[in-house]
Amino acid sequence: MEAMQVEFEQKLHDLCTNTSSDFSAYANVDQENHTIRWEYAYGFTNNRFKNMVIRPGKGLSGSVVRFGITMVLDIDTPNRQKTRLQYPIMLAENLVSAVAVPVHVNGKVAGVLLIGSRSEVKYTTEQIELLKKTTSEFAEIKK
């Protein structure tokens, strides 16, 4: 197994453990083709995430890439049940709550880091800050 893959998967495992999440994943942005692909995941129930190709602005990861902002979909989100149906990763992994954060490399969004839960939860500020802190570690690996 490639060293970078092992490191990514360990960090995703740690994220799930430290945020009490069921699922965590990293999506890479292909700047040439303008697509986003989920490359690494922990806590997955199937491999459908690997086949997803998302355009910027579409889905949860696409919105994070397009706008460069953190997106939270949890118990405090209005219409969350309807909204989650628009996000393929949430449907594929049966996630009810999620937080997605952009990973910046050289001033561009190079990826998306996501944590998710299969039950309704309220993500705390501490959990979101830990996720954001972890994005800088992913950015260092990607450089």
Side-chain angles (χ1 to χ4, degrees):
M1 202 181 301
E2 187 180 317
M4 186 167 76
Q5 180 178 353
V6 171
E7 195 168 353
F8 271 39
E9 289 176 356
Q10 182 60 51
K11 289 191 180 304
L12 292 171
H13 172 269
D14 294 345
L15 263 177
C16 280
T17 302
N18 296 329
T19 62
S20 301
S21 297
D22 299 315
F23 178 79
S24 61
Y26 174 79
N28 188 55
V29 177
D30 183 338
Q31 301 292 346
E32 287 182 21
N33 296 324
H34 304 289
T35 57
I36 305 157
R37 282 188 174 274
W38 295 103
E39 290 188 349
Y40 305 101
Y42 176 81
F44 54 91
T45 57
N46 59 65
N47 285 324
R48 287 189 287 176
F49 72 92
K50 291 181 180 180
N51 298 322
M52 292 180 190
V53 179
I54 303 120
R55 294 255 177 233
K58 303 291 181 189
L60 187 60
S61 58
S63 297
V64 170
V65 170
R66 183 172 185 185
F67 302 112
I69 59 168
T70 299
M71 295 194 63
V72 180
L73 186 68
D74 66 9
I75 202 163
D76 287 343
T77 306
N79 299 318
R80 67 187 170 280
Q81 293 301 341
K82 185 177 176 185
T83 303
R84 73 179 279 276
L85 298 176
Q86 300 170 17
Y87 302 140
I89 191 70
M90 294 189 75
L91 292 174
E93 286 299 327
N94 199 26
L95 302 176
V96 178
S97 304
V99 179
V101 178
V103 176
H104 294 274
V105 175
N106 299 326
K108 291 184 177 182
V109 178
V112 176
L113 193 55
L114 176 134
I115 55 174
S117 178
R118 294 185 179 92
S119 58
E120 288 191 349
V121 297
K122 163 81 173 114
Y123 281 103
T124 66
T125 304
E126 292 80 18
Q127 290 169 317
I128 295 170
E129 287 305 313
L130 176 63
L131 183 60
K132 288 179 180 180
K133 177 183 172 284
T134 306
T135 62
S136 61
E137 296 171 14
F138 274 77
E140 284 299 314
I141 298 168
K142 289 296 287 182
K143 282 187 178 176

